[in-house]
Amino acid sequence: MPMKPAPDKQTLLRSLPSIQDVLVNPVVTAIAIDPRYLTPIIREELNAIRVAIRDDSFRQTDILAYLLKKIESRSRTLLNPSLQRVINASGIVLHTNMGRAPLPLSARQAVREVSENFSNLELNLENGKRGNRQSHCAELLKTLTGAEDAIVVNNCAAAILLALTAICRRKEVPVSRGELVEIGGSFRMPDVMKFSGAKMVEVGTTNKTHLRDYAEAITEKTSALLKVHCSNYRIVGFTKDVSIGELANLAHQHELPFIYDMGSGMMEDMQHLGYPYEPTVRDILSEGVDLVVFSGDKILGGAQSGIVVGKKQWLEKLRKHHLARALRCDKMTLAALEATLRLYLQPKDLIKTLPVAHMLAEPVDNLRRRAEKILRSDSLSPLQIEIVEARSQIGSGAFPLETLPSIALRISGPLSALKIQKALRQFQPPVIGYVQDDALLLNLRTIRQDEDKIVHEALSRLATQST
Ligand SMILES: *Cc1c(COP(=O)(O)O)cnc(C)c1O
């Protein structure tokens, strides 16, 4: 049979539907988006087809079907949530790319309460006058850390920016060369310093900084001493840094404030739960630090926020600075943080009440039992899965060298590790594992027990896809 000759370009171009035709197509009228937002999408897709026809690169036989598919797909991007839940099987508990800390129940309820209703965000219920949004977390933070005063802003980076701007602008701040850190690619201490208008004076060397290096750098232009927690790295070997107590003393001899960027900010000593050792915010304050700055969504386990606790005299400067207004938190953040902080009043229950603590403390035997239960099903053939020992990280720059023992499901076939990873990422909800030695690992420590069945479903689906 002779083949039908391909229609020429002009015929194809003439056969393109008009925007109006497309708008009244039942497929398009069924899309829950107003025509005024669909029109430009249709126009763009029609133009793309027109260009492809002219370049001879258009290969579709049914133009209308192809166009409708494109429009549906673009509409789905608009209609489906972009920000969505995922199953964190990375083993990294505080993963910045996956939203760091999952919130405790009480925090979720508090967010709901203040977001559904009006609230006393800035209303003083005693006298009916204007209140202060900073008041809601302040008493808890003071009680928990022993600080004189506390404020909360959008994140730790914002808190440092505010402290440096309010106290150090146009003045000098000596910082150790060993602490000029970059965290997560977006937070670089030298850049934040520059942005604040403070002049950084580098002291010491990368591996060694002595007290005398700081002392020699202090001039009449010095406004504060600053120490930065080396969150995501360690300088090991022939090293020396100056203790917090020594620096606080030096600062106070010169009547300067001493600011400590703690990064993760431990509220409660949790070594008995298997956490590595790290001084608490209270410990740091008792060394004489004037301002301690830390994140609300790292090891603390609350909402994204930056907390500053310390001496009233300095916090007053932060509170009054114009920048504080620009960096202030939203009511939902404050509600979540307040409820999370309240849990710390009863530290013995944290393992039950705080998801991050629960994850970090879950015994390996438990993780192993859960892994066995996920696999106790024959519906997973032909997947090659085994239960292996793994390591887990706290993440977000907390304890870079310490890892926790964990258990992982190791899937080594029949598909390649990258294909398995992609398939699991496309599951609803996406399951995010990691590739190691040509296999895909799902680390149990960051999977919540109630998510085990989702992991099983994702694996069943993967098994079906692999047959
Ligand atoms: C993580 C971290 C920051 C940044 O904290 P964000 O809350 O992400 O802004 C700043 N300093 C240190 C030392 C950190 O570890």
Side-chain angles (χ1 to χ4, degrees), residues 279-290:
T280 62
V281 177
R282 178 180 281 273
D283 295 339
I284 299 288
L285 283 170
S286 68
E287 296 275 320
V289 179
D290 297 274

Side-chain angles (χ1 to χ4, degrees), residues 130-142:
R130 183 177 178 160
N132 186 333
R133 71 177 64 212
Q134 292 295 352
S135 66
H136 304 295
C137 293
E139 283 312 308
L140 281 164
L141 283 166
K142 280 153 62 177

